[in-house]
Amino acid sequence: MSVRSKSGPNTGRSDEPRAGDEDEQVSVRRAKLAHLRDMGPAYPNDFRRTAYCGDLAREFAALDGESVERESGEYALGGRVTAVRSFGKTVFLALTDPTGVLQLYLRKGDFGDEEFARVAALDVGDLVGARGKLFRTRTGELTLRCESFRLLVKSLRPLPEKWHGLTDVETRYRRRYVDLIANEDVREVFRRRARVVAGIRCFLQERGFVEVETPMMQPIPGGAAARPFITHHNALDVDLYLRIAPELYLKRLVVGGFERVFEINRSFRNEGISTEHNPEFTMCEFYQAYATYEDLMALTEEMLATLARELHGSTRCRFGEVELDFAAPFTRMTMAEAVAAHSPLSVAEAESADALERYADELEIDRAKRHGGLGLLADVFDAVAEHRLVQPTFITSFPVEISPLARASEDKPGFVDRFELFVAGREIANGFSELNDPEEQRQRFVEQLEQRDRGDDEAHMMDEDYVQALEYGMPPTAGEGIGVDRLVMLLTGATSIRDVILFPQLKPRVRG
């Protein structure tokens, strides 16, 4: 069940700050590397780490200097130099590894001239290995007194001026590797992202869902209203599409007997780039036989509350200036009720195509881009209500015109059994009771083809094989898609989707 497509403008900056005197610094570092090569292997690969900085800092945190020296073993630490203080015959280094930072102390008298010359060639950013025992300095700082020391990798490019100060957004996204070196809080975001993905996987597996993989290149793009990327398979001489969603393949698996199935997948939509949109993104889609969309709303409440507690110890978390609460139950309202709450229309008028048409004119919604019939309700909702839904809110009862794969409501003609979850003014999840009537599904596809003929290039194509799969019989099923990137944004407080995607798509740089 794919998240609805909403493209936005490309807001990426077009150029990157110039390096200034970076070239000169690179030249100096290359000269140091050349000297190191003359002294022996410049990139040794036989150093083995036996301990981590952060682990040692925590283990010895409560011990005084005398106790530290008594309890310390010999440790081999490896990591990146993030600060250098040289006093001629003594050098203090800050060593950073994935667990934290620890100070290193080197004294010339403990090393030969050639070995200490390597220390003199150090720059911030170099990767080193050090072996020794712990002690506390006069100021009480836990420190490794180095008995041996090796330069493992010479960093030829300088880190940002101020080690923790890489703040230029364009550079951060284009050189994510530098961003990760320089900003611990950025590394923490992606550690949390990994915990969210692992948490989703664990949550579903504990409830009997089987994880699968479906094709990323598809002969017919389906499962969402979106423009696909097109590629060509040379050997078969056919065009293929990068998937916009895995939905139709996952439902084929439900037909085949996988009654609880999910995929954490990469999908691709040939649309705009913004703080909420990236052409390549991550979704989790899952399907449960003998369930309805209402069952999945309850499951989603439980899942999001579980993820929030695992990350924050509570169902509450900060997002910008607001505190979000993922405790169940979430607010629920129909799409028409949401429009009525934020516009002059009544609920009855919000479910009238004529009234919606008049109000859409008042809102100056582009006629060429409007949905037809009651589908216009979604356009009006996007304009007046969506951005006002801050706390987790399920919007239900969607028009059939914009829901070609959802089961029609039995008690509300023109609408389907569908929901979308909105948090902080953005769509996070989309789910519905699945349409499993093959004849009605074929007719829905025909109607989508008519929309394509009228110029809607996001309307579904006909998928005969999927209709044939339904003809074998798909049990009553509900399915849902969750936008993982947007969910991670909420749970980490990130205001741009680029902050939770390691390598986001950016506008090409303009070379001057």
Side-chain angles (χ1 to χ4, degrees), residues 235-256:
L236 296 178
D237 193 24
V238 295
D239 285 340
L240 294 171
Y241 302 87
L242 294 183
R243 70 176 169 206
I244 56 176
E247 177 171 345
L248 301 187
Y249 284 90
L250 290 173
K251 287 194 285 193
R252 285 173 170 93
L253 296 178
V254 177
V255 171

Side-chain angles (χ1 to χ4, degrees), residues 296-353:
L296 294 195
M297 283 194 283
L299 186 71
T300 303
E301 289 174 333
E302 186 182 359
M303 178 191 291
L304 267 56
T306 298
L307 293 173
R309 282 193 294 267
E310 287 180 354
L311 258 64
H312 301 287
S314 164
T315 58
R316 298 176 179 270
C317 64
R318 296 294 304 180
F319 184 77
E321 297 180 356
V322 301
E323 182 179 65
L324 302 175
D325 190 354
F326 290 98
F330 297 170
T331 299
R332 301 186 185 193
M333 62 177 72
T334 67
M335 183 174 281
E337 289 170 343
V339 167
H342 299 288
S343 77
L345 300 182
S346 67
V347 172
E349 288 172 326
E351 294 179 347
S352 162

Side-chain angles (χ1 to χ4, degrees), residues 27-28 36 43 134 173 207 237 250 256 272 295 321 341 353 431 484:
S27 296
V28 171
L36 290 170
Y43 289 84
L134 296 172
Y173 298 146
R207 286 155 183 79
D237 193 24
L250 290 173
D295 296 316
E321 297 180 356
V484 173

Side-chain angles (χ1 to χ4, degrees), residues 192-248:
R192 290 191 169 206
R193 179 188 173 107
R195 289 173 62 188
V196 170
V197 173
I200 292 172
R201 176 175 284 112
C202 182
F203 181 90
L204 292 172
Q205 288 176 336
E206 287 177 350
R207 286 155 183 79
F209 287 82
V210 177
E211 184 172 11
V212 298
E213 294 177 325
T214 62
M216 296 178 70
M217 293 191 299
Q218 303 176 353
I220 299 174
R227 291 186 295 273
F229 289 94
I230 304 174
T231 187
H232 186 78
H233 191 290
N234 292 331
L236 296 178
D237 193 24
V238 295
D239 285 340
L240 294 171
Y241 302 87
L242 294 183
R243 70 176 169 206
I244 56 176
E247 177 171 345
L248 301 187

Side-chain angles (χ1 to χ4, degrees), residues 48-348:
R48 296 296 178 265
R49 173 196 278 153
T50 63
Y52 287 88
C53 297
D55 295 344
L56 293 178
R58 286 184 288 273
E59 181 181 349
F60 289 89
L63 300 184
D64 60 21
E66 183 178 340
S67 300
V68 167
E69 295 195 44
R70 183 176 62 249
E71 298 294 332
S72 174
E74 185 176 83
Y75 306 106
L77 301 178
R80 191 179 294 272
V81 174
T82 53
V84 179
R85 290 183 298 141
S86 179
F87 301 95
K89 295 183 178 180
T90 60
V91 177
F92 288 92
L93 307 175
L95 184 74
T96 299
D97 68 18
T99 67
V101 184
L102 193 71
Q103 180 168 265
L104 306 185
Y105 169 70
L106 299 94
R107 190 177 61 177
K108 185 175 182 180
D110 296 331
F111 299 88
D113 290 342
E114 182 175 307
E115 192 173 7
F116 199 74
R118 292 177 179 269
V119 176
L122 280 176
D123 290 296
V124 170
D126 290 349
L127 295 165
V128 302
R131 188 182 304 274
K133 294 184 177 182
L134 296 172
F135 75 105
R136 288 199 182 276
T137 64
R138 292 177 183 175
T139 60
E141 185 169 356
L142 187 68
T143 303
L144 187 81
R145 180 183 286 109
C146 295
E147 299 170 1
S148 66
F149 180 87
R150 300 183 70 185
L151 177 59
L152 304 177
V153 175
K154 183 67 187 170
S155 176
L156 296 179
R157 293 188 176 273
L159 292 177
E161 194 178 331
K162 294 187 182 178
W163 145 250
H164 53 282
L166 180 60
T167 57
D168 182 83
V169 173
E170 184 76 2
T171 300
R172 286 183 52 225
Y173 298 146
R174 291 195 186 279
R175 299 191 205 167
R176 179 66 85 186
Y177 42 89
V178 180
D179 188 26
L180 293 168
I181 292 172
N183 293 317
E184 164 59 26
D185 57 340
V186 175
R187 295 197 299 275
E188 180 59 24
V189 165
F190 289 101
R191 282 191 287 263
R192 290 191 169 206
R193 179 188 173 107
R195 289 173 62 188
V196 170
V197 173
I200 292 172
R201 176 175 284 112
C202 182
F203 181 90
L204 292 172
Q205 288 176 336
E206 287 177 350
R207 286 155 183 79
F209 287 82
V210 177
E211 184 172 11
V212 298
E213 294 177 325
T214 62
M216 296 178 70
M217 293 191 299
Q218 303 176 353
I220 299 174
R227 291 186 295 273
F229 289 94
I230 304 174
T231 187
H232 186 78
H233 191 290
N234 292 331
L236 296 178
D237 193 24
V238 295
D239 285 340
L240 294 171
Y241 302 87
L242 294 183
R243 70 176 169 206
I244 56 176
E247 177 171 345
L248 301 187
Y249 284 90
L250 290 173
K251 287 194 285 193
R252 285 173 170 93
L253 296 178
V254 177
V255 171
F258 283 90
E259 295 188 349
R260 295 192 179 202
V261 64
F262 79 99
E263 182 173 11
I264 298 175
N265 65 88
R266 305 291 285 178
S267 290
F268 308 83
R269 298 181 185 177
N270 197 353
E271 301 170 346
I273 300 174
S274 73
T275 57
E276 295 183 21
H277 299 86
N278 195 67
E280 178 182 2
F281 60 97
T282 303
M283 285 196 301
C284 174
E285 288 210 18
F286 54 95
Y287 293 81
Q288 179 177 342
Y290 305 101
T292 70
Y293 76 110
E294 292 178 329
D295 296 316
L296 294 195
M297 283 194 283
L299 186 71
T300 303
E301 289 174 333
E302 186 182 359
M303 178 191 291
L304 267 56
T306 298
L307 293 173
R309 282 193 294 267
E310 287 180 354
L311 258 64
H312 301 287
S314 164
T315 58
R316 298 176 179 270
C317 64
R318 296 294 304 180
F319 184 77
E321 297 180 356
V322 301
E323 182 179 65
L324 302 175
D325 190 354
F326 290 98
F330 297 170
T331 299
R332 301 186 185 193
M333 62 177 72
T334 67
M335 183 174 281
E337 289 170 343
V339 167
H342 299 288
S343 77
L345 300 182
S346 67
V347 172

